[in-house]
Amino acid sequence: MDEPNGIAVPDDPGRAAAQITRRVLPRYTQALNAVRRNALHQPDPPHRPAAPEVTESFTLIWYPDGVVGAPSASVPADARIVLYGCYFQYSPHEAAFVLPASYSTEVRALLLQSAVRQLTAQGIGVNFRHAAPTPSRPISTAAPTLGAPPGARQPAARR
């Protein structure tokens, strides 16, 4: 019977064992020796260093108008200097650190990338999220009324 690798193995067990010993085992031995030679002569592949441990983190929020910011209470003290260095501004009216939308998209992307790179090197994690969408219509908090309002006159019963 023909095998997929092109070696025919007879149905007789004795002949099959002899053929495997004569044809397959030498190939296996050659392959094993090649692997061992490669392991001796080829250096280990370079390994990337592990990322620094994250000790603190905060979230930058991307607002619909293009401003990127974080509430000041959530920003670690060590991160504030990095944010100032990457042109974030403290807005006292919003109590937040913001990167204004007045910068071009490319400049904001480079500033954000620089800030994240510096912060992660210090072990400060940075998360991104979009601001929660504003509802298109105001949400009504009043309960719907069923029937007549209180104090309305009830219809008289028919006789």
Side-chain angles (χ1 to χ4, degrees):
M1 121 184 325
D2 286 336
E3 291 293 318
N5 60 5
I7 298 174
V9 179
D11 291 335
D12 179 33
R15 291 178 66 200
Q19 197 167 20
I20 288 175
T21 303
R22 191 172 67 242
R23 290 188 177 177
V24 176
L25 291 180
R27 290 181 185 176
Y28 174 77
T29 304
Q30 289 173 351
L32 183 61
N33 289 336
V35 168
R36 288 181 177 157
R37 265 192 318 275
N38 288 342
L40 285 174
H41 299 294
Q42 291 179 351
D44 285 337
H47 297 285
R48 292 187 184 270
E53 282 292 319
V54 174
T55 56
E56 299 176 285
S57 67
F58 69 99
T59 301
L60 287 174
I61 303 166
W62 201 294
Y63 293 97
D65 61 353
V67 172
V68 177
S72 63
S74 69
V75 178
D78 296 338
R80 295 174 183 192
I81 295 187
V82 173
L83 292 179
Y84 283 132
C86 292
Y87 297 105
F88 277 76
Q89 301 169 2
Y90 178 72
S91 173
H93 300 293
E94 298 170 338
F97 288 92
V98 294
L99 183 63
S102 59
Y103 296 117
S104 70
T105 304
E106 294 83 14
V107 170
R108 280 187 292 147
L110 289 172
L111 291 172
L112 282 171
Q113 183 181 24
S114 175
V116 169
R117 185 178 300 132
Q118 292 176 44
L119 290 168
T120 54
Q122 293 179 9
I124 300 172
V126 181
N127 303 311
F128 282 94
R129 73 171 177 87
H130 286 281
T134 56
S136 58
R137 59 186 172 129
I139 299 173
S140 173
T141 57
T145 58
L146 299 175
R153 186 169 174 204
Q154 299 293 328
R158 291 189 185 180
R159 295 187 193 184

